[in-house]
Amino acid sequence: MRKGAHRSRRTLGAALVVAALASAATACSGAAPDRAAPPSPVSSPPSPASGQQAPKKGAAAPESQAGKAEKLRARKAARALAARKWGLAGPPLEAPAPPAVKPAITTRKGFETKSEGMPPVFTTVPTKEKIVFLTIDDGAEKDPELLRMMNELDIPYSAFLSDYVVSDDYAYFARMQKSRKGGVALHNHTLNHRYLPGLSYARQEREICGMQDVIEKRFGKRPELFRPPYGNYNDDTLRAARSCGIRAVPLWAAEAFPDRMEWREWDRDLHPGDIVLTHFRGEEDWKGSMADMVRRVMNVITAKGYAVAKLEDYV
């Protein structure tokens, strides 16, 4: 009995020694055999390269080239459908992206006045791109078809308004302002469309600055561009315009009608950066509607290989 007891105690002691050695080996290896391994930590995004900012949380990822190409294809397809709907010879051409820095605008030679530092008067924006700019004057005709047409064709344009013809329906021009992606800019064409060089400085100031106030009040933004009625101005005109926030005076290089084009330049042609003028008019005033005018001018512009760009992106 005693010998059996001694053997049992020696066997138990040996087992305990083996268990202790195994436990020590496990502890040295860092493993925990009776416990699940902790989950690995979530990997952090790589640090931005030197000189770059880390993307903000929640910021949209930059659009892929494939995504941009798909959007462009969809836009061209929509324009092609709209061109057929509105009776154009072909879809308008796509304008290039606007410049990161706007070009320096100077007064056209021969259009200067005696005072220095006046808003520049010009007919063409300096650019090498095959683009032109479409502008519409006064506001007498308020054709809802024009808003639909320009929106569906996605043609940018700028309006130069006179209060004596827009005051009976400010709401139409408020709709125009928001009628297409990117908006339609509303600019100054005086209160009453007077021949400005025949007026005193004070009366010119009233015509120009008064229209600044109307557009700011009715449409929320004070214009920076001004077109004098008939394209006529003198030194007082430009000084008055500058006094109430005008910084540039775009005139035009060509004029569009439903049945013809008229040209300022000797070669009777378009040039990169030319400004095209037309008017808010209907069949009572000329041979066709505003939609007819858009068809005429866009067929000419497209046939000559030009796209229409947004004037405010360049001036």
Side-chain angles (χ1 to χ4, degrees):
M1 267 314 267
R2 192 170 294 173
K3 286 182 181 179
H6 284 307
R7 272 197 299 271
S8 296
R9 282 197 293 271
R10 282 198 298 270
T11 303
L12 178 59
L16 290 173
V17 169
V18 171
L21 289 172
S23 177
T26 303
C28 289
S29 68
D34 297 327
R35 231 177 272 171
S40 59
V42 177
S43 59
S44 301
S47 300
S50 177
Q52 295 181 343
Q53 276 191 332
K56 294 181 180 178
K57 287 185 177 180
E63 190 174 14
S64 68
Q65 289 300 319
K68 290 179 181 178
E70 181 57 35
K71 279 188 176 180
L72 182 59
R73 281 193 295 271
R75 176 182 164 89
K76 285 183 176 179
R79 267 187 157 184
L81 286 172
R84 286 197 291 272
K85 171 183 174 179
W86 292 102
L88 274 65
L93 300 178
E94 191 75 20
V101 178
K102 293 181 181 181
I105 307 291
T106 58
T107 292
R108 178 172 172 161
K109 188 175 181 180
F111 286 54
E112 304 91 344
T113 64
K114 64 183 181 181
S115 295
E116 295 183 359
M118 293 295 101
V121 182
F122 56 100
T123 61
T124 299
V125 173
T127 179
K128 294 180 180 179
E129 302 281 3
K130 288 199 75 173
I131 56 172
V132 295
F133 306 97
L134 185 60
T135 63
I136 311 180
D137 276 10
D138 64 50
E141 181 74 9
K142 302 163 184 72
D143 185 354
E145 187 177 55
L146 174 72
L147 305 188
R148 293 193 297 272
M149 184 178 192
M150 300 301 270
N151 181 48
E152 291 176 16
L153 290 167
D154 197 12
I155 300 171
Y157 62 105
S158 305
F160 288 79
L161 304 181
S162 291
D163 194 52
Y164 83 109
V165 285
V166 304
S167 59
D168 63 339
D169 193 356
Y170 289 125
Y172 174 82
F173 297 97
R175 291 195 301 275
M176 174 181 290
Q177 189 179 32
K178 300 174 183 177
S179 62
R180 61 178 305 277
K181 186 178 179 181
V184 176
L186 307 180
H187 298 299
N188 189 329
H189 198 44
T190 73
L191 289 172
N192 299 295
H193 206 271
R194 300 285 168 77
Y195 175 74
L196 294 177
L199 304 180
S200 66
Y201 175 85
R203 290 182 66 190
Q204 290 198 53
E205 186 179 49
R206 164 68 182 146
E207 282 289 323
I208 301 167
C209 299
M211 193 60 192
Q212 291 286 90
D213 296 338
V214 168
I215 293 177
E216 183 177 30
K217 178 182 177 181
R218 295 290 179 175
F219 308 112
K221 187 175 181 182
R222 200 166 181 83
E224 294 184 330
L225 305 184
F226 160 67
R227 177 173 286 158
Y230 317 107
N232 295 124
Y233 62 96
N234 60 13
D235 196 65
D236 282 348
T237 310
L238 300 185
R239 290 195 299 113
R242 184 181 65 172
S243 76
C244 49
I246 295 298
R247 61 178 181 81
V249 181
L251 298 185
W252 60 92
E255 185 170 358
F257 298 86
D259 59 337
R260 69 190 190 280
M261 294 286 294
E262 292 186 357
W263 310 92
R264 182 188 292 271
E265 308 301 338
W266 66 272
D267 59 356
R268 299 175 60 79
D269 204 356
L270 292 176
H271 312 87
D274 275 356
I275 299 169
V276 179
L277 163 70
T278 189
H279 289 82
F280 290 98
R281 293 284 187 274
E283 295 181 6
E284 295 177 0
D285 300 298
W286 58 16
K287 297 176 182 178
S289 66
M290 294 210 72
D292 294 327
M293 178 277 298
V294 173
R295 273 187 285 275
R296 162 72 64 168
V297 69
M298 289 309 304
N299 285 341
V300 171
I301 289 169
T302 304
K304 291 179 179 291
Y306 284 82
V308 179
K310 186 176 179 179
L311 181 64
E312 295 74 23
D313 286 341
Y314 288 77
V315 179

